[in-house]
């Protein structure tokens, strides 16, 4: 289709995944690319792009979207800041909903894509003035506003010299969001660009409230596999079922016997019945665990709580493949 529009464009197709094993070879190809454009929607791929480009010395144009908001920057341009200066480590798995889960304004990918294309053309033409290197441009489509935030390179960060297991890396500890010039990024506030007039940053972490209850006590709830859950349901088990995802996620796909939908950070005693077993589920099991811990903090007996291991994704795989994905 690209050549239908412009037959003078040379298109190289790679019939393989972009992984730690293939990334450097793909980006080198016959010779290193002049610029890489990010069209990904997940943290592992963004870190992989960033680290590959840093190793090969290639600039890349980043973008992220969620809801009514998008952000864009140019990373690794002539030694400038990289994605790891914006987000040194990834957020907890499941803490940030994907576009499919949280929703995205239909025109937003086009808007951000056009801006990315603009930055690519400027790089290719050598027009460095005004390039989004060392800056993050945030677009709020709902308020029709732009916010331009400076980004500093962390001089003490060790340079990237090799690629790692990015799926494992992004399943690790909570993020420590980097300092952005003129922006307070402490873990006790709403974090970063959100405090500068934007309600949500696409790649920021959302920290849980601290707890005075020990981790052992908080994790003293039941974890139940989807197949085991089905067996117990068929045997007469009748739990009250709580979906702790966003309502927009529930509307896409849900267990048909769900009793209530309450996002995991908003669960409280009024969200559940006063007695009887409770089956808690989310997308992948992580937010379900957090909801169970929160309910235990509020005084709910851990023995009443059953978190669905692997969430609705594992239910789709193990029990009902006909559910929408």
């Amino acid at each position: 289709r690209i050549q239908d529009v412009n037959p003078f464009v040379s298109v190289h197709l790679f019939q393989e995944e972009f992984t730690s094993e293939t990334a450097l070879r793909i980006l080198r190809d016959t010779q290193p690319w002049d610029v890489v454009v990010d069209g990904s929607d997940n943290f592992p791929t963004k870190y992989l792009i960033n680290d590959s480009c840093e190793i090969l010395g290639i600039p890349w144009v980043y973008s992220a979207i969620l809801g009514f908001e998008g952000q864009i920057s140019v990373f690794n341009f002539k030694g400038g800041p990289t994605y790891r200066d914006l987000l040194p480590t990834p957020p907890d798995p499941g803490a940030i909903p994907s576009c499919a889960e949280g929703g995205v304004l239909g025109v937003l990918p086009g808007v951000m894509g056009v801006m990315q294309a603009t930055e690519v053309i400027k790089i290719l033409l050598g027009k460095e003035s005004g390039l989004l290197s060392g800056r993050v441009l945030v677009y709020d489509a709902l308020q029709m506003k732009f916010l331009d935030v400076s980004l500093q390179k962390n001089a003490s960060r060790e340079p990237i010299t090799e690629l790692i297991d990015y799926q494992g890396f992004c399943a690790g500890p909570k993020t420590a969001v980097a300092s952005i010039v003129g922006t307070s990024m402490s873990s006790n506030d709403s974090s970063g660009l959100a405090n500068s007039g934007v309600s949500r940053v696409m790649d920021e972490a959302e920290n849980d409230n601290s707890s005075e209850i020990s981790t052992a006590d908080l994790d003293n709830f039941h974890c139940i596999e989807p197949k085991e859950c089905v067996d117990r349901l068929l045997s007469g088990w009748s739990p009250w079922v709580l979906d702790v995802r966003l309502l927009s996620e529930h509307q896409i796909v849900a267990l048909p016997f769900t009793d209530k939908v309450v996002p995991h950070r908003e669960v409280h005693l009024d969200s559940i019945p006063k007695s009887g077993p409770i089956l808690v589920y989310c997308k992948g099991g992580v937010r379900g665990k957090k909801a169970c811990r929160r309910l235990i903090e509020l005084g709910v007996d851990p023995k009443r709580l059953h978190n669905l291991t692997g969430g609705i994704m594992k239910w789709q795989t193990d029990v009902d493949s006909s559910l929408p994905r």
Side-chain angles (χ1 to χ4, degrees), residues 2-310:
I2 293 175
Q3 289 182 325
D4 288 341
V5 176
N6 185 348
F8 300 103
V9 172
S10 177
V11 178
H12 293 238
L13 298 177
F14 297 91
Q15 301 289 345
E16 56 186 327
E17 290 188 35
F18 189 74
T19 67
S20 298
E21 289 71 36
T22 64
L24 296 179
R25 173 171 51 78
I26 289 174
L27 293 184
R28 285 192 183 102
D29 198 27
T30 54
Q31 60 183 12
W33 302 97
D34 295 308
V35 61
V36 172
V37 185
D38 168 34
S40 66
D41 65 351
N42 62 84
F43 292 104
T45 303
K46 291 184 188 295
Y47 280 104
L48 174 58
I49 294 171
N50 180 82
D51 292 358
S52 300
C53 287
E54 181 170 339
I55 290 173
L56 297 176
I58 305 174
W60 67 287
V61 183
Y62 152 86
S63 180
I65 57 176
L66 184 66
F68 286 85
E69 300 162 18
Q71 61 188 46
I72 177 176
S73 186
V74 174
F75 292 132
N76 199 47
F77 182 77
K78 295 187 175 180
T82 76
Y83 186 59
R84 287 183 180 269
D85 295 309
L86 175 68
L87 198 70
T89 53
D92 284 346
I96 309 297
S98 68
C99 293
E101 300 161 352
V104 63
L105 180 64
V107 299
L108 193 58
V111 173
M112 302 308 297
V114 167
M115 287 195 280
Q116 284 183 285
T118 303
E119 294 303 288
V120 169
I121 292 172
K122 287 158 62 177
I123 292 172
L124 296 178
L125 294 178
K127 303 293 186 180
E128 299 181 19
S129 177
L131 194 68
L132 286 173
S133 176
R135 301 158 54 204
V136 179
L137 184 66
V138 182
Y139 172 53
D140 183 343
L142 195 60
Q143 300 299 322
M144 198 52 72
K145 291 181 179 180
F146 286 91
L147 177 69
D148 194 331
V149 185
S150 297
L151 176 66
Q152 289 182 327
K153 185 177 180 65
N154 181 4
S156 63
R157 180 178 64 81
E158 292 292 326
I160 301 298
T161 58
E162 61 181 1
L163 303 182
I164 60 174
D165 172 11
Y166 292 92
Q167 295 292 339
F169 174 64
C170 291
K174 293 181 180 178
T175 183
V177 182
S179 296
I180 295 183
V181 175
T183 308
S184 171
M185 299 292 282
S186 75
S187 60
N188 294 322
D189 58 28
S190 297
S191 288
L193 303 177
N195 286 344
S196 301
V198 179
S199 62
R200 188 185 191 91
V201 178
M202 276 54 69
D203 291 338
E204 75 181 6
E206 297 177 351
N207 294 324
D208 289 331
N209 295 327
S210 60
S211 170
E212 296 180 358
I213 302 177
S214 71
T215 302
D217 289 337
L218 287 178
D219 286 340
N220 195 26
F221 52 86
H222 302 283
C223 291
I224 184 168
E225 292 282 340
K227 288 185 177 180
E228 179 189 354
C229 183
V230 170
D231 290 342
R232 294 189 61 181
L233 290 170
L234 293 175
S235 300
W237 187 50
S238 182
W240 197 85
V241 182
L242 176 65
D243 182 354
V244 294
R245 300 172 298 158
L246 301 174
L247 180 60
S248 57
E249 296 177 75
H250 178 84
Q251 291 170 340
I252 295 171
V253 59
L255 297 182
F257 43 87
T258 302
D259 291 297
K260 195 167 187 178
V261 182
V262 182
H264 74 283
R265 287 189 177 84
E266 300 174 17
V267 294
H268 48 78
L269 295 180
D270 292 339
S271 304
I272 61 173
K274 294 182 179 179
S275 61
I278 300 166
L279 176 63
V280 180
Y281 77 94
C282 61
K283 178 186 177 184
V286 175
R287 283 176 282 174
K289 289 182 178 180
K290 293 180 179 180
C292 289
R293 290 168 183 162
R294 178 174 172 84
L295 288 170
I296 293 170
E297 286 181 317
L298 295 173
V300 176
D301 184 354
K303 296 179 181 179
R304 294 181 58 201
L305 302 173
H306 299 74
N307 182 52
L308 186 65
T309 301

